[in-house]
Each structure stands twice: as C-alpha cells, then as structure tokens.
Amino acid sequence: MLQWTDIVRYAKYGNPEPDRRVERTDAGWQEILTPGQYRVMRQKGTEPPYRNLYCRSYEPGRYVCAGCGSDLFNSTEKYHAISGWPSFTQPAGKAAVKYAFDDSHGMTRIEALCNVCDSHLGHVFPDGPEPAGLRYCINSQSLRRVDNR
Ligand code: FE
C-alpha cells in the first residue's frame, strides 16, 4: 500500500519503471483522443467538477487510461470525496501512476500521470481515508471503466 511519503519520494527521486511504454506524437494523440480528452490529458486541463462521467459512478470494474489502456485504478479503491471528481485511495499498482511536482496556479501539488503514456490524470493529496490517507483526484476524461476480467 502506497503512503504519502512514497508519493513524495517518487516525485522527488524518480518513479518505478513501467513494464511498457506508449509514445505518440502530438498529432497522434489528437487523432485518437476526443478534444476534451486531449485538453485534459495532453494539455493538463481540468474538467468541470460534478459534470463528468465517473464522479458519482460506483459500478464495479477497472479504470484504465483513456490514452493507452493501462490499468490505473480499481473500483474497490474508489470512494466519495465530495470533490466533484472521481477519487481513489490507491492506484492499481506501484508502477501504474507517475508522480511529479506541479507548481502551477500558485500552489505546490503532486500531479498524477499515466506511467506508461505520460498522460495527465489529476493530482494526489494526503487527505484521503485511512489507512493509506491518499486521495487521487482524477479527471473522468482520463479514464475508461471496463468490466473486471
Ligand atoms: Fe496511459
């Protein structure tokens, strides 16, 4: 189980190696993503709170990256954070998400990205539920829910 100290260490000193990499040109991303997905995932945009697909959805399944299909989160780690965005307290695996410091908008936050294709997902905060205390605040645009295998 990842703790906040792990997240800060990954952001500072480097993330675990993913088991594969997916890379595309900017034009390539524009081709496969919707304009909304492109704005969030490749331009680090933020979708509106509450008016997004998975905010209030608790269907069982896996949440994969909308850009490369990699496993990011499981519905079992999804919880209601009253933030207006889908929130998870753990990722699907230690190497699923990549962490980076984000000093934009006059704040220091930790950005969450797909570790396989570097698409922007959202941010991680240390105010989630016990025992891990993590809150992954994620844009629905970056996710696709699929049924469990
Ligand atoms: Fe990805």
Side-chain angles (χ1 to χ4, degrees):
M1 182 191 302
L2 290 178
Q3 311 276 344
W4 181 246
T5 49
D6 300 313
I7 305 304
V8 173
R9 195 179 69 237
Y10 288 154
K12 244 186 208 172
Y13 301 114
N15 290 277
E17 279 295 312
D19 52 15
R20 67 181 185 124
R21 287 282 301 162
V22 170
E23 286 170 16
R24 282 177 196 278
T25 61
D26 195 52
W29 284 117
Q30 292 196 54
E31 222 166 85
I32 65 150
L33 298 175
T34 66
Q37 287 172 330
Y38 179 80
R39 194 180 63 80
V40 168
M41 301 180 74
R42 306 311 304 184
Q43 300 184 312
K44 303 187 192 298
T46 301
E47 69 194 8
Y50 299 104
R51 299 196 316 277
N52 60 74
L53 186 60
Y54 298 122
C55 174
R56 295 182 184 83
S57 158
Y58 293 92
E59 297 285 305
R62 298 177 292 123
Y63 288 85
V64 302
C65 175
C68 73
S70 301
D71 277 336
L72 293 173
F73 301 100
N74 287 302
S75 59
T76 49
E77 309 293 337
K78 194 173 188 296
Y79 74 102
H80 185 53
I82 328 179
S83 67
W85 290 279
S87 301
F88 302 86
T89 190
Q90 283 290 303
K94 274 189 178 173
V97 175
K98 169 184 281 189
Y99 306 91
F101 286 108
D102 170 13
D103 295 319
S104 66
H105 306 289
M107 297 176 266
T108 297
R109 294 178 294 173
I110 291 186
E111 180 188 4
L113 305 109
C114 173
N115 202 18
V116 171
C117 76
D118 294 344
S119 288
H120 174 77
L121 305 174
H123 292 87
V124 193
F125 302 95
D127 59 8
E130 294 296 313
L134 296 180
R135 171 169 64 100
Y136 288 74
C137 184
I138 304 299
N139 288 280
S140 288
Q141 293 274 19
S142 304
L143 300 174
R144 185 160 50 85
R145 193 194 66 78
V146 297
D147 288 331
N148 284 316
R149 286 182 269 257

